[in-house]
Amino acid sequence: AQSVTQPDARVTVSEGASLQLRCKYSYFGTPYLFWYVQYPRQGLQLLLKYYPGDPVVQGVNGFEAEFSKSNSSFHLRKASVHWSDWAVYFCAVSYPTGKLTFGDGTVLTVKP
Amino acid sequence: EAAVTQSPRSKVAVTGGKVTLSCHQTNNHDYMYWYRQDTGHGLRLIHYSYVADSTEKGDIPDGYKASRPSQENFSLILELASLSQTAVYFCASRTGFSNERLFFGHGTKLSVL
């Protein structure tokens, strides 16, 4: 069965520092992978998505993610974090049938 | 921008009572989903639908029913609400392609007392 693991429940970084949020997936075949962000009291919004092809995917607001089939990973990165990035980040994997499985999320805290 | 509207935004229900959460989308999307989110956890799929008048069980369907009377509307029904169903519920919609994004509503915070 497909699954997603986000090993870090909470990550704290200083504003302006670089960021990596980890995601490991379990999926038979080539997955469709997504990163969503949830701001306080809002629904989830798409940051970026991966289709088979270029392993590095660019998203909104300077986010990017790199797919690794050998490591079963899809880590999210940002070169310089802004205070407005304070949110919860979810990694997700999609079946071809359309069913989406989410990880438990990583809470990102940004220190001034 | 695609729109998914949930109502109510929050609700307090009594144990054993009936609760109906509503979702309306104007995206002309085929797929609609109900997820629940518990504090500190990700989203878990309750029910989904890919066509009007048909619903499918997700990963945690027990204690919930769903109804899709039209392409635009998708309801989640708790016939006998229980304390364990206190959570935030999200509705989402998507086109028929599995590599496409979900569009989420703002969520409904349900408290069962």
Side-chain angles (χ1 to χ4, degrees), chain A:
Chain A
Q2 64 184 35
S3 66
V4 176
T5 301
Q6 294 180 245
D8 304 309
R10 294 184 174 273
V11 169
T12 299
V13 299
S14 298
E15 191 170 15
S18 63
L19 168 71
Q20 177 172 280
L21 301 182
R22 296 185 292 162
C23 173
K24 300 277 285 186
Y25 68 89
S26 173
Y27 184 85
F28 181 76
T30 301
Y32 296 129
L33 294 160
F34 302 80
W35 275 99
Y36 284 85
V37 60
Q38 184 180 30
Y39 299 106
R41 294 175 297 281
Q42 294 187 28
L44 279 69
Q45 303 170 32
L46 182 70
L47 271 180
L48 50 78
K49 57 185 178 182
Y50 168 78
Y51 306 152
D54 189 335
V56 179
V57 181
Q58 302 297 321
V60 299
N61 298 331
F63 285 94
E64 67 174 28
E66 183 166 5
F67 169 74
S68 171
K69 188 169 184 177
S70 60
N71 294 324
S72 297
S73 67
F74 188 55
H75 299 332
L76 182 70
R77 303 189 296 236
K78 187 171 184 179
S80 176
V81 171
H82 188 263
W83 67 266
S84 60
D85 295 325
W86 193 322
V88 184
Y89 292 80
F90 293 96
C91 183
V93 61
S94 175
Y95 269 131
T97 57
K99 187 176 157 183
L100 203 66
T101 298
F102 288 86
D104 282 344
T106 297
V107 178
L108 173 64
T109 300
V110 180
K111 294 190 301 184

Side-chain angles (χ1 to χ4, degrees), chain A residues 32 34 36 38 42-44 46 49 51 90 94-100 102-104, chain B residues 9 31 33 35 37 40-43 45 59 90 94 98-102 104-106:
Chain A
Y32 296 129
F34 302 80
Y36 284 85
Q38 184 180 30
Q42 294 187 28
L44 279 69
L46 182 70
K49 57 185 178 182
Y51 306 152
F90 293 96
S94 175
Y95 269 131
T97 57
K99 187 176 157 183
L100 203 66
F102 288 86
D104 282 344
Chain B
R9 290 295 296 268
Y31 280 77
Y33 303 82
Y35 287 90
Q37 183 180 35
H41 293 283
L43 279 68
L45 182 63
D59 297 322
F90 287 99
R94 183 178 60 77
S98 60
N99 57 0
E100 289 299 321
R101 59 176 288 191
L102 292 175
F104 283 86
H106 278 72

Side-chain angles (χ1 to χ4, degrees), chain B residues 36-99:
Chain B
R36 73 174 272 173
Q37 183 180 35
D38 297 280
T39 303
H41 293 283
L43 279 68
R44 291 183 291 170
L45 182 63
I46 307 170
H47 285 288
Y48 65 102
S49 168
Y50 53 84
V51 68
D53 295 321
S54 177
T55 63
E56 305 291 332
K57 293 181 179 179
D59 297 322
I60 53 164
D62 293 343
Y64 302 94
K65 292 183 180 179
S67 173
R68 182 96 181 266
S70 65
Q71 187 189 40
E72 298 79 17
N73 296 294
F74 191 37
S75 298
L76 185 68
I77 303 150
L78 290 66
E79 295 279 3
L80 295 170
S82 67
L83 294 173
S84 64
Q85 292 177 311
T86 293
V88 179
Y89 291 85
F90 287 99
C91 177
S93 73
R94 183 178 60 77
T95 69
F97 300 100
S98 60
N99 57 0

